[in-house]
Amino acid sequence: MNTTGPADKGLRLIPFRGLRYVPERVGSLSAVTSPPYDVVVRPDGLHHLESADPHNIVRLILPQAATPEDRHRQAATTLEQWLSEGILAPDPEPALYVYEQRKGELLQRGVIGALALSAPADGIVLPHEDVMPDVVADRAALMRTTAANLEPLLLTYRKGDETGGAAAVIERVIRRSPLLATTTEDGFGHRLWSVTAPGDLAEITDDLAHHQALIADGHHRWATYLRLRDEHAAPGPWGYGLVLLIDTARYPLQVRSIHRLLHGLPVDRAVAALAGSFRIRTVDGQLPEALDALADAAASGNAFLLAGDGRFQLVDRPDRDLLARTVPADRPAAWRSLDATVLHATLLDHIWRIPDTPEHIAYIHDTEAAVSKAEQDGSTAVLMHPVHEDVVRELALQGVTMPRKSTSFGPKPATGLVLRSLALG
């Protein structure tokens, strides 16, 4: 995504003194990392991470206490304690960081830094999803109390076949020994290098200044950054946020779905309410076969897979008159035809009448976990088919946001490899 205006209308990425785990003070780097906070499947995943190492980063991003205020204070106290004990330590000088993720043939490389914050209207960083105000408020309180960016957002841009710039610096840097290398339990290898040479920093800075970025993962954290920037009106560290920037022309991301778990709605009731408005079929076989059937149905229109009672119900071919009555008509056709749009406007709001609040809906990235939880709770999992990246990008360029939690871009950066303290400037 190239900008056509002056350089000051593009991305501005600056070095920072990264906070990193001191390897000698923890069991292993893999044992202290975590997926992003909203990917951790609670409580099972949370307990697993907490038990992996007493210093696992999940104790900062998802602290456990009786009240939100106590949780945030606990995270701040834990961070201060780990710094004083030398569990975490700042790097000696400001740097940008080259970050690599590899699993089999999948390879992703990008640059981590502190990005100057900008409003969506500026057209520099483009969101593509709505956010939930309560999540933003909670993340803002945590960030405000800890005075730290605990995990990077995932942003993408497209440079294409041009030479030089950030890509050239990355290719040079990866020939050196990394600051750290670890393999997490999901099979991904992670490596991190620091970039401190003035020439390299200038080459990256000048390159990115001519580009705009799409938020691939981290809309709530970006909204949190903007809220806290507005609270701290004077220029300073709160005017920047921790991000990972990936050139998807070189390293295409995978786009996956985020599924819905509808608390308190059994599958039989969910299916019965859809009768006459959608085609409903029971899919034979296990989850892989059911997902194949979902993909086939989604190729020609809106389709969903309902699970939770040991079977899979494929729901597709919605009544066109129903869609016309329930889906807002003031948005582009690409938005009106999104599965997430139809799910929220037609199924959740109109047919099932389920409020989009944490008490009624959980958002789960892992497909097997969504099905398992629905079966355990007697609730309904709504499995979604992923949206193509080009659709996401085109809507973002038009300034149109998709329904919240419509997509999951990945692989996501591991949390805990590098943090940013706002107290260090």
Side-chain angles (χ1 to χ4, degrees):
M1 302 174 78
N2 293 351
T3 59
T4 56
D8 62 358
K9 289 297 184 180
L11 301 167
R12 185 181 173 214
L13 194 70
I14 67 170
F16 68 102
R17 291 180 65 194
L19 293 183
R20 296 190 295 110
Y21 280 100
V22 178
E24 296 78 14
R25 299 303 309 276
V26 297
S28 70
L29 288 175
S30 63
V32 295
T33 62
S34 163
Y37 79 96
D38 58 338
V39 181
V40 176
V41 180
R42 292 185 273 184
D44 298 345
L46 180 64
H47 294 158
H48 173 70
L49 292 166
E50 286 180 331
S51 61
D53 188 284
H55 303 106
N56 188 284
I57 193 68
V58 78
R59 297 181 185 275
L60 299 183
I61 63 172
L62 288 173
Q64 299 301 294
T67 68
E69 293 77 13
D70 288 342
R71 290 198 297 270
H72 304 146
R73 281 194 294 268
Q74 178 175 300
T77 300
T78 300
L79 178 58
E80 292 173 2
Q81 181 178 343
W82 288 359
L83 287 168
S84 66
E85 294 176 353
I87 306 299
L88 289 167
D91 282 334
E93 58 182 322
L96 296 177
Y97 297 86
V98 170
Y99 175 48
E100 175 189 277
Q101 294 164 275
R102 185 191 292 268
K103 183 178 182 181
E105 296 182 355
L106 178 60
L107 174 65
Q108 179 171 287
R109 293 183 180 129
V111 179
I112 295 176
L115 184 68
L117 305 180
S118 58
D122 296 332
I124 299 173
V125 175
L126 304 175
H128 71 267
E129 287 185 356
D130 293 331
V131 297
M132 293 176 271
D134 59 313
V135 176
V136 175
D138 181 73
R139 290 291 106 183
L142 176 64
M143 199 177 299
R144 188 185 299 114
T145 307
T146 59
N149 298 158
L150 300 173
E151 47 189 333
L153 281 67
L154 177 59
L155 305 184
T156 73
Y157 68 103
R158 284 185 173 175
K159 183 176 180 179
D161 296 330
E162 304 166 47
T163 59
V169 175
I170 289 173
E171 292 302 316
R172 293 196 298 267
V173 167
I174 61 172
R175 299 190 184 103
R176 308 195 315 242
S177 296
L179 289 174
L180 63 85
T182 188
T183 300
T184 45
E185 64 179 6
D186 58 5
F188 273 95
H190 307 264
R191 296 198 293 173
L192 191 76
W193 296 261
S194 65
V195 181
T196 58
D200 289 341
L201 294 173
E203 192 168 355
I204 293 174
T205 300
D206 292 345
D207 182 12
L208 294 178
H210 297 281
H211 293 275
Q212 59 186 165
L214 174 73
I215 300 177
D217 185 68
H219 285 81
H220 290 88
R221 282 165 283 163
W222 183 258
T224 296
Y225 287 167
L226 295 179
R227 174 181 293 195
L228 295 177
R229 179 199 63 175
D230 293 343
E231 291 180 7
H232 299 78
W238 294 93
Y240 297 80
L242 184 64
V243 305
L244 165 64
L245 276 162
I246 301 288
D247 177 2
T248 54
R250 292 178 179 270
Y251 303 104
L253 296 182
Q254 297 177 330
V255 186
R256 301 185 184 278
S257 300
I258 302 176
H259 309 296
R260 275 66 169 162
L261 181 67
L262 310 182
H263 302 303
L265 179 65
V267 176
D268 58 348
R269 282 174 44 199
V271 171
L274 300 177
S277 299
F278 289 78
R279 183 175 68 167
I280 304 168
R281 293 173 288 159
T282 300
V283 180
D284 295 328
Q286 302 300 311
L287 181 58
E289 291 80 14
L291 292 175
D292 287 342
L294 174 62
D296 290 342
S300 57
N302 301 118
F304 311 93
L305 199 62
L306 306 188
D309 62 354
R311 300 178 300 168
F312 297 100
Q313 304 287 343
L314 181 62
V315 176
D316 66 350
R317 297 187 183 179
D319 179 81
R320 295 301 166 189
D321 290 338
L322 173 65
L323 296 185
R325 295 196 309 271
T326 57
V327 175
D330 59 347
R331 303 287 184 92
W335 181 89
R336 297 197 304 272
S337 63
L338 289 170
D339 287 340
T341 297
V342 173
L343 172 63
H344 283 261
T346 304
L347 279 74
L348 294 175
D349 292 350
H350 180 77
I351 296 178
W352 292 328
R353 299 187 182 277
I354 297 177
D356 192 0
T357 62
E359 296 79 22
H360 295 89
I361 303 176
Y363 292 83
I364 301 179
H365 292 71
D366 184 84
T367 307
E368 292 183 356
V371 174
S372 176
K373 285 188 169 294
E375 292 177 346
Q376 292 171 9
D377 302 341
S379 53
T380 296
V382 182
L383 307 184
M384 311 281 287
H385 186 68
V387 182
H388 197 280
E389 181 183 357
D390 289 344
V391 174
V392 177
R393 200 174 294 275
E394 182 59 34
L395 287 172
L397 285 169
Q398 296 178 52
V400 177
T401 55
M402 300 166 64
R404 60 193 66 171
K405 299 294 184 180
S406 293
T407 59
S408 176
F409 284 83
K412 304 178 190 301
T415 298
L417 296 181
V418 59
L419 290 63
R420 173 175 176 254
S421 169
L422 291 134
L424 293 176

